[in-house]
Amino acid sequence: MASIIEVVKNTQAPCQIKMGDRTISFMESQSKLNQDGRDLIMAEAVKILRRCIPPGEIDNITNIALGYVQSGKTLSFTTLTALAADNGYRIVIYLTGTKNNLQRQTAERLKRDLNIDGKNRYYAFITTDSAENEIARTIKNHLEVTQEVLLIPILKHYSHINKLSMVFNILELTTILGQYGALIIDDEADQSSFNTYAKKNSRKPDWEEDDFSKTYASILALKKSLPSHSYIQYTATPQAAFLIDSNDILSPVYHTVLTPGEGYTGGKYFFKERKEELVSPIPDEQIYHHRDNRLSKMPISLGRALKEFLLSVAIVVNIQEREPFLSMMIHIDGLRDTNKMFYKWVSAEMQKWINFLRKPEDDPVNQAVKKDFESAYDSITRYMKDTPPFDDVIKDLCRTMTKVSLHLVQSGGKNTAGTEIPWNDAPGHILIGADMLNRGFTIERLSMSYMPRTTKGKSNADTIEQRCRFFGYKINYIDVCRVYLSEKSISEYESYVEHEEALRASLSACASIEDFSKIPQAMLLAETLNPTRKNILSSDLVRNKLSGWKQMISCDYIEENQKPIRSFLTEWSDLFNNEHDYDGNIMRNHRSALISIDDFVRFFKGIVYGDVPNITRRNVTIQYLIYLRDVGRITHVRLYEMAYLAKNIDDLRSHKPGVTNIQFGRAENGSYPGDKEFKNEETVCFQLHHYRIEEACHPLNRKDVYNFCVYYPESLANSFVMLAEEGDDMDED
């Protein structure tokens, strides 16, 4: 454990963080992690905790931890719990999700991972089933008599949250709560927590109490009841948190980008690196819709996916014994009757296959079914090593199908309304459902996903990403993982991966949310997607494409920008090459240089703007450049210094203060192609224009100004979204 202790020592400032028995005990129990993995998780937990309000300090803060879907966010906040316990925090509240199965899942995992039983003296589980006065007495006694840290997992529902707030507001607790540090961990924070009346409220001159959505209002009440607390949002889809009003009490101050552990397979893996191997399109005519395409029988593509899954169970679980079980998810359209119908189809089809395979080998039906399974066998074993012969697999198939468990995962459905799915009791599980298979719910050892659910219009980026239960730590059986999606969904996920990687790269380069975007909240996002639900946003979204020429014209901060620009040009002067000399005309004589993205970003971050459109374009361009660098698309930008020989004020081009175009056009006689022709299609290009303002009696008359024009090649085109501000006249492309 020396390495982890060293991590803590190196990350103490500004708050002293120590690691005690609780943290050491928990980290030692994580036998699946190597030392590097433990160190990484610990370092990130320390980073989160040192940005929390220390125990006894009367204050509160909201922060956010951003991970990938199914990448180990629960492990992160469990580590944070143990570390907080060693540093004097006495209360940890978990808002565990909106479904009972998620609440049970989180509570059981906390008990297991923290080794909590009746003899444990480190932690005490507090349930909220009793009356408020009784719960308050229990909490008070634990705080004053024991040294145990109180863990309180509750459903993210306004009635449950309000009840806990009422408990903390009881007099015998209110007089002592300020002494104790508290954490509120909001798991899947973008779900239900934010104010769904924000859009409606923004149209009113005054906000009223009943204009808060119930869950949002209950969270505000919970925060108000705790004089010393830190509210920590955990999510894989932070779009909502970054786009809500920055004055909102749930708007985060600091962020931590969580790093996935070794063996994680997420969006990049499925939709970039191995898309052709792992992702299969569902034909449009086979996508069930209760109004537009009411299928009368199980679609052919589902039959193929089901065959591939059953074969993978026979091979990976029964023959090779690589895994104790595998799972399949069938996620349709969210309607209970649809789920029931697909459940019946799958059950009937499996029984039919069992009946046919039990017929004599020379029976035509037996042979036809075997031929179909052999085709599925060739597909599912395509990337497998040491594949058992088909004849051995088919012999095991009837036994496999007999033992595979089928689960209807919806309220009132089998194995979901009352008890946890008994994963280890069967070699395979097939889960059919919709909303209860969404965010937060972990499908153990999921290998096959059949998900035709889609939308006619633009999907919300955060919603579709949270359906990706097929992400996770799957390297040991990735050879039999498959995902069946509509063509529209495949395209959306490809776009989302680009958005997610750009967002994470930009956040990793910033110390705080304020640094990430000081005025508007902007992020790259393809035009095929919406970032989140519009009803939680107090302002309209503006969409702007990163394509073609964009001019960043500003007369703000003239002197503040001159120094870094001149210093930069001097520093990199040796890299510049002269362009064509047009008849000795210095206005048409330019030079350019290739500048590494890292060097240009460091420089461009220092350019100051005072208006929303230019601040947004600067921030999102930086974000985009970092993304393009990280995915290997480009390594340098091309910078053109226009009319670089003009140094004296009288030699500079002249423009009026309110000019909207600073690029000179093509000469009528064709001797000059125009400024816009000075670009390169291989990378993002910047033109630096140095000109004087010419307007008699204007306060800026005879001032020299530097401004940029940016060219985004169509081959690298993308778009971004931002919140419109009052009076925002930013053009929409």
Side-chain angles (χ1 to χ4, degrees):
M1 300 300 293
S3 181
I4 296 177
I5 294 172
E6 193 61 35
V7 170
V8 175
K9 286 181 179 177
N10 291 336
T11 53
Q12 285 181 351
C15 298
Q16 294 296 314
I17 303 296
K18 66 179 182 179
M19 187 174 66
D21 293 343
R22 295 173 175 89
T23 310
I24 293 173
S25 174
F26 171 67
M27 294 308 296
E28 286 179 342
S29 71
Q30 301 304 302
S31 57
K32 292 182 180 180
L33 296 175
N34 59 26
Q35 190 63 52
D36 289 343
R38 296 180 187 182
D39 290 348
L40 180 61
I41 291 168
M42 178 58 63
E44 290 173 347
V46 168
K47 183 178 180 180
I48 295 170
L49 191 63
R50 75 181 187 195
R51 288 169 169 171
C52 292
I53 302 301
E57 184 176 316
I58 307 302
D59 203 352
N60 71 87
I61 195 170
T62 297
N63 296 327
I64 190 168
L66 168 63
Y68 286 115
V69 168
Q70 298 286 90
S71 66
K73 295 186 294 297
T74 304
L75 177 60
S76 173
F77 68 65
T78 307
T79 306
L80 178 65
T81 298
L83 192 64
D86 281 335
N87 285 271
Y89 293 83
R90 295 293 307 278
I91 300 171
V92 184
I93 300 162
Y94 308 88
L95 307 183
T96 60
T98 61
K99 306 292 184 184
N100 286 316
N101 61 335
L102 299 183
Q103 196 272 345
R104 289 193 303 271
Q105 181 178 275
T106 301
E108 290 304 316
R109 181 164 178 181
L110 284 168
K111 289 180 180 178
R112 183 186 71 237
D113 289 353
L114 294 173
N115 194 27
I116 298 174
D117 55 29
K119 299 178 182 179
N120 188 289
R121 301 177 67 87
Y122 287 155
Y123 307 98
F125 250 83
I126 303 296
T127 63
T128 55
D129 299 332
S130 308
E132 286 88 344
N133 285 329
E134 184 177 341
I135 299 170
R137 283 195 298 272
T138 300
I139 291 175
K140 182 175 185 293
N141 289 337
H142 274 88
L143 290 175
E144 294 185 335
V145 176
T146 77
Q147 295 300 312
E148 296 166 346
V149 176
L150 309 186
L151 309 184
I152 312 175
I154 60 173
L155 200 66
K156 195 190 296 187
H157 185 277
Y158 68 90
S159 62
H160 294 253
I161 302 172
N162 281 333
K163 182 175 182 179
L164 188 58
S165 302
M166 292 169 64
V167 168
F168 289 137
N169 281 319
I170 290 175
L171 183 60
E172 58 185 317
L173 274 183
T174 57
T175 57
I176 66 170
L177 279 177
Q179 307 170 37
Y180 303 101
L183 301 182
I184 303 173
I185 294 175
D186 188 347
D187 192 17
E188 305 299 342
D190 59 302
Q191 184 186 32
S192 300
S193 299
F194 299 115
N195 186 18
T196 56
Y197 292 175
K199 171 63 70 177
K200 184 180 75 172
N201 290 340
S202 68
R203 310 301 187 204
K204 296 181 176 182
D206 297 305
W207 284 24
E208 302 170 8
E209 186 67 29
D210 60 358
D211 281 336
F212 293 144
S213 53
K214 291 181 179 179
T215 302
Y216 175 79
S218 68
I219 292 174
L220 298 189
L222 177 62
K223 287 172 61 63
K224 187 177 180 181
S225 71
L226 291 166
S228 173
H229 75 270
S230 302
Y231 180 83
I232 305 160
Q233 304 166 334
Y234 271 83
T235 185
T237 47
Q239 291 82 4
F242 294 155
L243 286 171
I244 61 174
D245 191 318
S246 60
N247 294 317
D248 193 303
I249 198 169
L250 297 192
S251 180
V253 178
Y254 294 106
H255 63 276
T256 302
V257 179
L258 303 178
T259 309
E262 185 179 0
Y264 176 72
T265 54
K268 285 193 298 183
Y269 196 89
F270 276 90
F271 294 101
K272 294 295 183 183
E273 298 170 11
R274 296 188 64 178
K275 173 191 165 189
E276 300 302 321
E277 302 171 24
L278 303 180
V279 181
S280 298
I282 302 172
D284 288 345
E285 65 272 13
Q286 296 182 32
I287 295 176
Y288 180 88
H289 191 277
H290 65 282
R291 285 194 309 269
D292 301 336
N293 194 28
R294 291 182 65 88
L295 301 175
S296 59
K297 60 181 180 180
M298 190 170 80
I300 295 172
S301 53
L302 176 55
R304 183 168 186 83
L306 186 58
K307 291 187 186 81
E308 291 176 346
F309 172 70
L310 295 169
L311 289 165
S312 66
V313 173
I315 295 170
V316 173
V317 179
N318 294 341
I319 297 174
Q320 296 178 338
E321 298 183 345
R322 266 195 275 160
E323 296 290 334
F325 62 86
L326 293 175
S327 299
M328 178 178 184
M329 176 183 72
I330 302 174
H331 186 138
I332 315 300
D333 66 1
L335 298 180
R336 292 168 58 86
D337 289 344
T338 303
N339 295 334
K340 291 178 181 178
M341 181 173 64
F342 271 75
Y343 181 94
K344 291 178 180 177
W345 281 349
V346 171
S347 178
E349 197 74 5
M350 288 173 59
Q351 186 59 54
K352 184 178 73 173
W353 291 336
I354 292 173
N355 294 340
F356 289 164
L357 289 173
R358 294 182 66 238
K359 289 180 178 292
E361 290 195 10
D362 58 354
D363 187 288
V365 174
N366 177 290
Q367 292 177 357
V369 173
K370 281 185 179 178
K371 186 175 181 180
D372 285 345
F373 270 100
E374 188 167 15
S375 175
Y377 165 88
D378 291 339
S379 176
I380 201 65
T381 60
R382 188 177 305 162
Y383 311 108
M384 188 182 295
K385 297 179 180 179
D386 302 322
T387 309
F390 174 71
D391 288 343
D392 292 350
V393 179
I394 201 70
K395 289 177 184 177
D396 189 76
L397 198 57
C398 283
R399 184 173 72 94
T400 297
M401 286 190 282
T402 300
K403 294 177 73 66
V404 163
S405 292
L406 193 58
H407 308 273
L408 183 59
V409 187
Q410 60 185 19
S411 298
K414 179 183 177 183
N415 291 121
T416 59
T419 60
E420 186 73 20
I421 291 176
W423 298 108
N424 289 303
D425 289 356
H429 298 273
I430 301 173
L431 287 71
I432 300 173
D435 292 341
M436 290 186 74
L437 297 179
N438 266 345
R439 61 176 71 235
F441 185 72
T442 299
I443 302 176
E444 300 285 349
R445 291 177 170 84
L446 176 62
S447 65
M448 180 65 65
S449 299
Y450 185 86
M451 194 169 66
R453 186 173 186 177
T454 187
T455 59
K456 284 187 175 182
K458 289 182 181 180
S459 298
N460 289 334
D462 50 2
T463 299
I464 65 166
E465 180 69 357
Q466 286 291 354
R467 292 178 185 152
C468 292
R469 300 297 99 194
F470 47 88
F471 294 165
Y473 296 90
K474 303 177 182 296
I475 287 298
N476 192 47
Y477 56 94
I478 195 66
D479 51 350
V480 294
C481 288
R482 298 291 187 273
V483 183
Y484 282 78
L485 298 165
S486 70
E487 291 278 11
K488 179 176 182 289
S489 293
I490 293 172
S491 176
E492 288 173 342
Y493 281 121
E494 288 176 318
S495 297
Y496 186 89
V497 169
E498 293 187 355
H499 157 71
E500 180 176 55
E501 293 307 311
L503 180 61
R504 286 174 61 91
S506 182
L507 286 168
S508 296
C510 298
S512 67
I513 302 299
E514 182 181 7
D515 292 339
F516 170 60
S517 188
K518 292 186 177 179
I519 297 182
Q521 301 292 348
M523 59 185 71
L524 292 166
L525 188 63
E527 293 186 43
T528 55
L529 294 171
N530 288 319
T532 188
R533 310 170 300 288
K534 291 183 179 179
N535 61 348
I536 67 171
L537 305 179
S538 58
S539 300
D540 291 327
L541 285 171
V542 173
R543 206 176 263 282
N544 198 295
K545 193 174 183 182
L546 297 177
S547 176
W549 281 109
K550 304 294 179 185
Q551 300 191 31
M552 302 178 66
I553 302 173
S554 172
C555 290
D556 299 321
Y557 302 105
I558 292 175
E559 295 179 359
E560 288 84 349
N561 287 331
Q562 284 180 347
K563 184 176 180 180
I565 288 173
R566 289 169 178 166
S567 176
F568 185 80
L569 292 174
T570 300
E571 181 180 359
W572 298 102
S573 60
D574 292 343
L575 294 181
F576 280 90
N577 296 312
N578 295 353
E579 299 294 321
H580 298 291
D581 185 353
Y582 292 92
D583 300 325
N585 186 338
I586 61 173
M587 292 296 99
R588 299 177 177 178
N589 194 8
H590 321 304
R591 63 176 184 169
S592 70
L594 279 174
I595 309 292
S596 74
I597 288 176
D598 288 343
D599 289 327
F600 186 81
V601 165
R602 276 194 294 270
F603 156 67
F604 200 43
K605 280 182 177 179
I607 303 303
V608 187
Y609 293 100
D611 60 298
V612 170
N614 279 320
I615 291 172
T616 300
R617 184 163 296 283
R618 179 201 60 196
N619 292 350
V620 81
T621 299
I622 290 171
Q623 183 183 348
Y624 193 36
L625 291 175
I626 292 171
Y627 161 71
L628 291 173
R629 177 203 66 191
D630 289 349
V631 299
R633 298 284 297 277
I634 61 174
T635 57
H636 292 71
V637 301
R638 182 164 289 279
L639 174 64
Y640 292 85
E641 186 182 2
M642 309 299 285
Y644 74 98
L645 293 175
K647 303 298 183 183
N648 298 322
I649 189 75
D650 291 319
D651 292 336
L652 299 178
R653 294 177 173 181
S654 66
H655 291 294
K656 292 186 178 299
V659 65
T660 58
N661 179 18
I662 59 175
Q663 290 179 305
F664 280 12
R666 179 179 178 274
E668 290 186 4
N669 62 5
S671 61
Y672 180 68
D675 288 359
K676 289 186 177 181
E677 293 304 310
F678 290 86
K679 66 182 189 304
N680 185 292
E681 296 298 332
E682 303 300 320
T683 190
V684 178
C685 302
F686 294 80
Q687 288 183 356
L688 178 62
H689 291 258
H690 188 198
Y691 60 91
R692 73 175 183 273
I693 298 173
E694 199 69 53
E695 176 97 6
C697 301
H698 193 278
L700 296 180
N701 185 44
R702 302 287 291 174
K703 290 281 188 180
D704 63 307
V705 178
Y706 286 99
N707 275 162
F708 288 93
C709 298
V710 191
Y711 179 72
Y712 310 94
E714 191 62 36
S715 61
L716 302 174
N718 210 319
S719 65
F720 67 90
V721 291
M722 59 169 286
L723 291 182
E725 298 213 347
E726 188 174 354
D728 189 356
D729 58 356
M730 191 174 193
D731 293 335
E732 290 188 61
D733 292 340

